[in-house]
Amino acid sequence: MGDVVEKSLGDILNFRRGHDLPKSKVQKGNIPVAGSNGIIGYHNKETSIYPCITIGRSGNIGTPYIYNKCWAHNTVLYVDDFKGNDPEYLYYLLRTLPLSSFGGGSAVPTLNRNHIHPIKVKFYKKIQRQKKIVSILKSIDDKIELNRRINDNLIFN
């Protein structure tokens, strides 16, 4: 376990604010537009980082999502630098953090990247270990999704 280290979140990834996309500028396409609650539409361009990991920045704050490609809307923060770490490992790590508790604002909760970058986290620094953990967690997620589909089929058939 000697490869577990504690660093600030900003030392292992970098968040950036998403981009404005007024409805009048949306072009028909198949790239998901990632909002704070997940997919809010589709566009013909993507944010240039793959995969695209987002967390809600405004409204529904702190919930991580991962997409193969997406347009990161201005209601999210997205990872624009994985700093040599496995992106899927970072996604699973983000799922364990209480990011919503770092929000501010009274009427509409807002998450500022400068408030979450200093959070101290323990993580595996070796990429091989990160990939092994992702492999295990993805197999569990796949099983959960299969069970959900089986349950849906039983309920509606």
Side-chain angles (χ1 to χ4, degrees), residues 17-147:
R17 185 178 184 268
H19 307 285
D20 293 340
L21 184 62
K23 287 187 180 187
S24 63
K25 300 287 184 188
V26 174
Q27 300 293 313
K28 187 176 181 178
N30 62 354
I31 305 296
V33 177
S36 62
N37 284 320
I39 297 173
I40 59 172
Y42 292 87
H43 189 47
N44 68 341
K45 295 180 183 167
E46 68 270 352
T47 306
S48 61
I49 305 297
Y50 310 120
C52 185
I53 297 175
T54 67
I55 59 171
R57 181 193 70 78
S58 178
N60 177 25
I61 63 172
T63 303
Y65 293 91
I66 189 168
Y67 308 91
N68 289 328
K69 293 181 180 182
C70 79
W71 175 273
H73 192 264
N74 66 357
T75 59
V76 302
L77 297 173
Y78 71 98
V79 178
D80 72 344
D81 187 351
F82 300 111
K83 299 189 177 183
N85 294 295
D86 183 84
E88 291 176 298
Y89 175 77
L90 294 177
Y91 165 72
Y92 282 108
L93 177 66
L94 290 170
R95 285 177 52 181
T96 69
L97 302 176
L99 297 173
S100 63
S101 66
F102 290 87
S106 55
V108 178
T110 305
L111 188 62
N112 184 320
R113 70 189 188 114
N114 295 324
H115 296 157
I116 60 174
H117 275 163
I119 297 171
K120 294 291 186 188
V121 296
K122 291 183 179 178
F123 80 107
Y124 286 95
K125 63 183 179 180
K126 291 185 179 174
I127 195 82
Q128 301 90 340
R129 180 66 62 103
Q130 292 178 8
K131 289 181 181 298
K132 178 69 174 171
I133 290 168
V134 166
S135 173
I136 293 165
L137 293 175
K138 281 180 85 169
S139 69
I140 293 169
D141 279 350
D142 290 347
K143 180 64 174 163
I144 291 169
E145 176 60 20
L146 176 61
N147 287 341

